[in-house]
Amino acid sequence: MSRLAQTAGLTDVQQEILSTVRDFVDKEIIPVATQLEHRDEYPTEIVEGLKELGLFGLMIPEEYGGLGESLLTYALCVEEIARGWMSVSGIINTHFIVAYMLKQHGTQEQKDTFLPRMALGEVRGAFSMSEPALGSDVSAITSKGVREGDEYILNGQKMWLTNGGTSTLVAVLCRSDEGHPEGTAAHKSMTTFLVEKEAGFGEVRPGLTIPGKIDKMGYKGVDTTELIMDGLRIPANRVLGGTTGRGFYQMMDGVEVGRVNVAARGCGVAQRAFELGVSYAQQRQTFGKPIAQHQAIQFKLAEMATKVEAAHAMMVNAARKKDSGERNDLEAGMAKYLASEYCKEVVEDAFRIHGGYGFSKEYEIERLYREAPMLLIGEGTAEIQKMIIGRRLLEEYRFQG
């Protein structure tokens, strides 16, 4: 284990899980990540290995076949996996958010139907809010679900769907005006629909098309897609929780957990960048000595390590707060904002330490340099995080005049 980013107060079980995951990352992910990423190839063997480790059911309750672990355990596992290859953590994260939303908000029938198969990784989850004309402005959603007998007819186009092709269960946020009078606030007329589908691309069920993978700068391997609904029929019992109008709150609860996950990813990528930088600095020689002995490089390493440590501490705090049952949107927003910004800075410093070799695809830091920017926009941009943080601070420190 490294000296940095240690977590105090873990149980023996948590330590054993983390040790197993780190060993898997070192042996099964890091050696193949860069070549798979350059080919934009889905990491099938890695995903099978994660299934065997039980990671798809890490936070699913034991009564449904999962491990019943905490958000902290999950976040620390994500940190380790992102240290190996961030795309793999994305494959797990979207699955987990859907499982979490089912656990927290699903009907008993929905939990019984999906959670045991999700724990085994047989059913794989994805969730969808964004649309081509909107990202962070969730209230502007135009996709719509209209009641027709015992079914809902869904129409609309979704964007930036992680696991869009490989998933078999998608939680889709749509507007549903049923039972909500004209003038109802937008966030009170949204519903989460549980959409089952076949894995793959093209028309994956009548009325539902996954056009294909979006070609991205980084975050490769994992499939990011659009989702097009054209007269998609969904049974009424596939409204999450059984009641319309709750979708916005359900999704925000899931995203709050997702922000801890993105913070954990930032911590993992930053850790790996530091490892690469500190290792290279001790091997590369200039002016007759390793560059690590030059004060300019030591200052970089000192700043990088401090950022790794600070981001990890904030991420752990946000996870523990959620686990305690308290509201954690302030802490999750702060952790996501700090970890993603620090990740970008640590990766860039490691890139600078590598000099010209950092620009070569033969070196791992080149991949990290393309991956880090995704964290600045995933699960809400830095600007959205600052809005959330600012509003919550004004709630907490309301002026008493």
Side-chain angles (χ1 to χ4, degrees):
M1 295 288 282
S2 69
R3 169 69 179 81
L4 294 178
Q6 297 296 296
T7 312
L10 297 180
T11 65
D12 290 345
V13 171
Q14 287 175 312
Q15 289 174 350
E16 187 178 339
I17 290 171
L18 283 177
S19 176
T20 302
V21 172
R22 175 172 273 260
D23 193 48
F24 180 84
V25 168
D26 286 339
K27 290 178 180 174
E28 306 296 335
I29 298 182
I30 288 176
V32 299
T34 295
Q35 65 188 61
L36 288 173
E37 197 270 353
H38 286 167
R39 295 200 299 262
D40 198 6
E41 183 177 323
Y42 187 80
T44 304
E45 289 185 21
I46 291 172
V47 169
E48 288 303 313
L50 294 175
K51 276 188 193 175
E52 289 176 22
L53 291 179
L55 285 193
F56 281 98
L58 190 61
M59 271 193 72
I60 293 175
E62 292 181 22
E63 65 195 273
Y64 299 106
L67 298 178
E69 272 296 330
S70 64
L71 177 59
L72 176 62
T73 308
Y74 177 76
L76 294 174
C77 287
V78 165
E79 184 178 39
E80 293 291 353
I81 291 166
R83 179 182 147 266
W85 184 13
M86 192 180 75
S87 293
V88 178
S89 65
I91 291 169
I92 295 174
N93 180 47
T94 48
H95 171 87
F96 160 66
I97 287 178
V98 178
Y100 173 81
M101 288 166 62
L102 275 162
K103 181 185 79 168
Q104 294 296 106
H105 306 288
T107 65
Q108 192 59 52
E109 184 270 335
Q110 289 167 355
K111 293 177 188 178
D112 292 341
T113 299
F114 295 115
L115 288 180
R117 289 185 292 152
M118 293 185 83
L120 295 172
E122 291 174 359
V123 168
R124 302 266 290 287
F127 77 107
S128 179
M129 291 191 295
S130 294
E131 296 183 358
L134 66 95
S136 300
D137 185 9
V138 180
S139 64
I141 278 175
T142 59
S143 296
K144 196 156 189 177
V146 177
R147 182 86 184 229
E148 191 175 285
D150 291 333
E151 294 181 314
Y152 284 85
I153 314 299
L154 273 51
N155 288 285
Q157 186 175 359
K158 292 293 186 177
M159 193 72 177
W160 307 119
L161 184 66
T162 302
N163 283 344
T166 46
S167 59
T168 52
L169 177 67
V170 186
V172 182
L173 187 63
C174 294
R175 190 172 299 286
S176 60
D177 296 328
E178 178 201 13
H180 307 290
E182 194 72 31
T184 299
H187 66 279
K188 292 183 178 178
S189 61
M190 293 185 188
T191 298
T192 304
F193 293 94
L194 299 170
V195 178
E196 297 171 80
K197 70 175 188 66
E198 294 293 321
F201 299 98
E203 190 171 26
V204 290
R205 67 175 279 179
L208 180 63
T209 300
I210 307 292
K213 293 197 324 188
I214 297 168
D215 196 15
K216 309 183 296 287
M217 174 177 79
Y219 199 40
K220 293 178 179 286
V222 59
D223 48 290
T224 306
T225 73
E226 295 175 75
L227 178 148
I228 299 168
M229 301 174 290
D230 184 10
L232 172 63
R233 291 181 173 273
I234 299 295
N237 66 0
R238 289 297 170 257
V239 168
L240 180 62
T243 306
T244 60
R246 299 292 302 163
F248 180 83
Y249 304 102
Q250 294 162 348
M251 282 281 180
M252 289 305 107
D253 189 25
V255 166
E256 203 171 279
V257 172
R259 284 180 179 144
V260 175
N261 172 284
V262 172
R265 288 195 228 182
C267 291
V269 174
Q271 267 192 64
R272 185 59 183 162
F274 174 79
E275 290 170 7
L276 294 172
V278 76
S279 173
Y280 185 81
Q282 294 171 77
Q283 297 169 57
R284 175 70 168 174
Q285 298 225 351
T286 63
F287 307 106
K289 59 183 178 182
I291 62 173
Q293 292 181 24
H294 295 297
Q295 194 176 58
I297 300 300
Q298 287 182 14
F299 280 4
K300 275 197 191 305
L301 294 172
E303 291 167 0
M304 292 160 70
T306 302
K307 289 171 181 175
V308 167
E309 193 77 352
H312 176 83
M314 288 197 76
M315 178 271 290
V316 167
N317 179 55
R320 283 187 160 142
K321 190 124 189 186
K322 186 78 169 176
D323 282 333
S324 72
E326 295 179 73
R327 182 177 178 180
N328 87 328
D329 53 346
L330 177 65
E331 291 77 10
M334 285 181 166
K336 192 273 174 187
Y337 169 57
L338 189 87
S340 58
E341 295 290 338
Y342 275 0
C343 174
K344 177 200 67 171
E345 293 169 15
V346 171
V347 167
E348 181 164 328
D349 278 341
F351 174 82
R352 290 170 185 263
I353 287 169
H354 279 75
Y357 288 106
F359 217 59
S360 166
K361 282 187 173 283
E362 290 182 34
Y363 282 73
E364 193 178 336
I365 191 65
E366 179 271 342
R367 168 170 62 83
L368 269 56
Y369 197 76
R370 288 183 291 101
E371 287 178 341
M374 199 286 286
L375 297 170
L376 300 172
I377 52 176
E379 308 290 6
T381 62
E383 289 71 27
I384 289 291
Q385 305 311 319
K386 286 190 276 189
M387 282 171 55
I388 292 167
I389 294 164
R391 287 171 183 165
R392 286 288 287 116
L393 289 174
L394 288 171
E395 283 179 31
E396 295 288 341
Y397 292 89
R398 193 176 297 283
F399 175 68
Q400 303 294 323

